[in-house]
Structures are given as C-alpha cells and as structure tokens.
Amino acid sequence: MSTQQSAKLNELKELTGARDIRELCEFFGYQDASEFWEPIKEAKAAVITGLAIPTLRNYRHLSKGPEYIKHGNSVLYLPLVLHLHNFRNLISLEEVA
Amino acid sequence: MTKTPPPSRGFTYAQHARIAIELGIAERKIFAMAAAIYSSYPAAVWRSVLNKHAYFTKHFRELRSLLDDQLFLEQAKNNLSLKARCIYYNGLGNQVIKMQGIDFHITPTVSPFFSRKKPGFTVEQYRHVQQQLEEVKDLFWFLQVALSTSYIHKPDVGKLLLLIHDSLEQIQTTLENRLKKKHGETHVLFTTPPIERTFLDNSLTDLTTSARHIAKYIKALHDDDNKAICRLEELAAKCTPPKYVTETAGTSKEVLS
C-alpha cells in the first residue's frame, strides 16, 4: 500500500471514528480492506454518494467531485475515494451555527 | 447549618479505568449506530445523522483526552509508574469492550452500498437504536454528576458534556421524526431499562437516580409550559436529594440536604 493510499485510509478512519482498519471495514460492511480499492462503475458510485449519474457526469465535466479513473470510454471510481468524499463533505454543526 | 459543595477528591485510578471502559462502550454503540444508518438509508438521511455524529465524535475525543490528562496528572502527583499504569488502563479497556460482545451491525448485508433501495430500519431496529442512545445519554448525565461532585468545577468539561448531549438529542430527534414519518405515531413510545451503574464508590451510587431525574427535569422544560409545571412538581416530589458532606473542625459527617 502506497503512502498516499494509507493516508487516505487514515483520514477515513479519523472521520468515521474507527480505531483500526478492521473497525473501518466493519463500518462499511466490507470483508477486508482490499475492497476499498476495487474499482466500481458509475451506477454503483451514484448509490454510494447519493448523487444522480448525470450529476457525476456534470462533476467530471467541471473537474470537481470525487476522483475517477478513465480507461478508454469507461469511467471507474474507487470506493475509498467515494466514502472519503461523502465524509469530507459533511457540514459541521458549528459552521451552521 | 450551611450547605457546602462536596470536597473535590477526584476519581481513584479504578474509577478512571471504569469510566474509560464505559466511554469506550458508549463510543462503540454510537459508532455502530452510525454504521447501520450509513448502510441502511439513502444519502438524505445519513448525511443529516452523520453531521451530528461527526460533531459528537469531535467533542467526545476532547472529553476523553481531558479525562486522560487528569489521570496522568494525578498519577504524577502520587509518584506512580505512569507507563505501567497507562498500559494497564488501555489494556483493561480493550479487554472488557471485547468481552461485552456488542452487536454492532443492526442490518448485516453483504454489500449494503450497492443496493439502490435502502429500506431503513424496522420498528424493532428503531427501538434498539433508541435504547442504545438513551443508555449513552444516561452515561453522560451520570458522568456529569460524578465529575461535578468529585472535581472542582471545570467549565470546559461541563460545556463538552452539554455539547455531546445536545448532539445525541439531535440524532435521536432525527430518528424519531423518521420513525413517525414511516411507521406512524403509535410506534414512537418505547421503554428504557432502569440504570444500573455502580462503578464509582457507594456514596455516589444514589446520584445515578438523581442524574436520571435531572435528565427528565430538563426534558420537561422543553414541553408545554402548563404540562411542564405539573411534571416538575411530580418529579421534584420523587427526586432523591443528593448527599452533601460538611466538614466541621477537621471531622466530616454526612448530612442530607
């Protein structure tokens, strides 16, 4: 696992309140940590983020939203990146107040 | 005879350890709840709950580090081996949490994130989550009373506890609204088991009941004005007054206020 990958996992651990990787997998219902790195298609990414597929497409066009991988015409997302995007975009109650 | 606040003796090492364990369990319960909501609900709901969860986690960590600092401070005062104590303290916490065997996942599914239709909780699951939340809230009320009777008042700790309690209340309200919307008003009522926490010394045990009464008292304030007055009178009649200790000429004796 690269430094960048482990940094992302650590950030997600912090954001969810998990103490280790096992707890992090437990939180997301994954069997093991490798599932965070299995690329998924747009439709599944839309379910994870709660965004519509056209919104994800629009985000890619505008170069914003979660990072993605492009292989020819197919677009793939990494579950870790999507979960991280979800948790990073939570609005703190203190900010609202 | 004048009422004086109880002496600030602080927690013993065993009490610190026990509180650490209880806090660890509470953290796990809230963590499990967040995981269950994240996997069982669509984005609109989990975003709302996890916002409050993030707020809870932040203040919870601050509170825990404050308590840890206090423990280290006391150990230093007593010239105890810090390292040995620290290992025991953390080890004990983890061991007991492991032994408790709390059921973390309320909706165990193989890949909950890949299903478009997230069903949300059943009524039973709602009750389970609400009960867990009530228990955690009770723990914080108890901790507030225990801290205020054992230590000199620290505004930071009091503020943190209030913020934690507030975030838990908000999570509970969100879930209650969701339950009402989905299953109707009739299912909202649920019962909580009586509190059984005797992890501090015996003189503090009866404060558990008082903590529960305070919680009800505060809740009553949020109801209608007319109802609140009646309920407050009822609660005041039931409430067990806490014991205070007065010190006279070097000897201490217990006085019921």
Side-chain angles (χ1 to χ4, degrees):
Chain A
M1 198 184 287
S2 71
T3 326
Q4 203 187 355
Q5 285 176 335
S6 62
K8 279 184 176 169
L9 268 180
N10 284 336
E11 192 185 341
L12 195 59
K13 242 167 48 177
E14 275 289 308
L15 290 168
T16 53
R19 289 176 300 183
D20 50 33
I21 300 292
R22 188 187 56 77
E23 273 189 9
L24 195 67
C25 293
E26 203 176 78
F27 189 97
F28 293 101
Y30 292 148
Q31 301 294 322
D32 66 281
S34 66
E35 287 188 51
F36 282 111
W37 304 106
E38 281 172 17
I40 53 166
K41 288 190 178 175
E42 219 180 8
K44 286 182 178 179
V47 177
I48 291 183
T49 52
L51 299 169
I53 296 177
T55 311
L56 286 176
R57 284 180 189 160
N58 194 27
Y59 278 174
R60 288 202 299 275
H61 174 68
L62 299 169
S63 307
K64 63 178 202 179
E67 296 158 26
Y68 61 96
I69 306 162
K70 187 128 191 201
H71 279 301
N73 282 336
S74 60
V75 174
L76 299 169
Y77 285 91
L78 295 175
L80 176 69
V81 174
L82 296 173
H83 292 307
L84 206 51
H85 178 263
N86 284 345
F87 278 86
R88 273 179 189 160
N89 284 293
L90 290 174
I91 299 156
S92 158
L93 291 179
E94 279 159 327
E95 281 171 31
V96 175
Chain B
M1 194 176 291
T2 53
K3 253 195 297 185
T4 54
S8 306
R9 288 170 300 181
F11 293 148
T12 62
Y13 171 70
Q15 286 167 349
H16 264 293
R18 189 72 193 141
I19 285 171
I21 293 163
E22 291 278 337
L23 285 179
I25 294 168
E27 193 189 16
R28 297 293 292 143
K29 281 179 181 171
I30 298 294
F31 178 80
M33 183 212 64
I37 285 168
Y38 189 62
S39 61
S40 310
Y41 278 104
V45 180
W46 63 247
R47 271 202 193 105
S48 161
V49 176
L50 291 188
N51 274 337
K52 286 137 202 170
H53 174 252
Y55 192 63
F56 165 84
T57 313
K58 186 188 163 198
H59 295 303
F60 183 84
R61 281 181 186 164
E62 276 179 50
L63 175 74
R64 187 177 253 185
S65 75
L66 272 175
L67 286 173
D68 284 352
D69 289 348
Q70 188 64 45
L71 174 69
F72 294 141
L73 203 74
E74 283 171 17
Q75 284 168 351
K77 224 177 349 186
N78 299 329
N79 293 325
L80 298 168
S81 161
L82 280 178
K83 204 177 169 187
R85 290 277 170 154
C86 187
I87 290 165
Y88 174 66
Y89 177 68
N90 290 325
L92 186 69
N94 288 335
Q95 197 186 356
V96 175
I97 291 163
K98 212 173 173 183
M99 278 161 61
Q100 291 276 330
I102 302 158
D103 185 19
F104 298 123
H105 270 277
I106 298 161
T107 48
T109 42
V110 181
S111 53
F113 300 107
F114 302 148
S115 147
R116 272 194 180 276
K117 286 183 182 171
K118 292 184 177 178
F121 292 158
T122 63
V123 176
E124 282 308 308
Q125 288 167 342
Y126 268 114
R127 283 193 182 145
H128 177 73
V129 169
Q130 292 281 31
Q131 200 171 309
Q132 301 274 307
L133 277 170
E134 276 294 316
E135 281 175 25
V136 175
K137 268 167 65 185
D138 273 346
L139 169 73
F140 285 110
W141 275 115
F142 178 72
L143 194 58
Q144 188 155 10
V145 176
L147 280 165
S148 60
T149 48
S150 305
Y151 285 105
I152 298 163
H153 179 62
K154 285 185 178 171
D156 289 354
V157 179
K159 194 182 164 193
L160 276 178
L161 281 162
L162 277 178
L163 289 172
I164 287 171
H165 206 267
D166 188 42
S167 56
L168 288 172
E169 282 267 332
Q170 288 192 34
I171 292 175
Q172 214 172 10
T173 316
T174 313
L175 285 174
E176 260 179 30
N177 290 340
R178 191 78 195 168
L179 175 65
K180 277 182 199 168
K181 201 175 161 188
K182 203 174 166 188
H183 300 282
E185 296 270 343
T186 47
H187 295 291
V188 176
L189 288 174
F190 61 93
T191 52
T192 50
I195 230 177
E196 282 176 19
R197 264 196 198 93
T198 51
F199 57 87
L200 297 183
D201 61 18
N202 291 333
S203 64
L204 287 176
T205 316
D206 55 348
L207 287 173
T208 323
T209 9
S210 304
R212 209 173 166 80
H213 282 304
I214 295 164
K216 282 183 185 170
Y217 186 87
I218 302 288
K219 208 172 179 183
L221 284 173
H222 296 295
D223 289 352
D224 292 341
D225 286 348
N226 294 335
K227 278 185 190 172
I229 295 163
C230 304
R231 283 185 66 184
L232 289 176
E233 281 170 357
E234 278 173 31
L235 289 171
K238 284 180 192 169
C239 190
T240 327
K243 283 177 182 176
Y244 291 107
V245 179
T246 51
E247 291 202 352
T248 43
T251 56
S252 64
K253 55 178 180 180
E254 283 186 344
V255 181
L256 272 176
S257 63

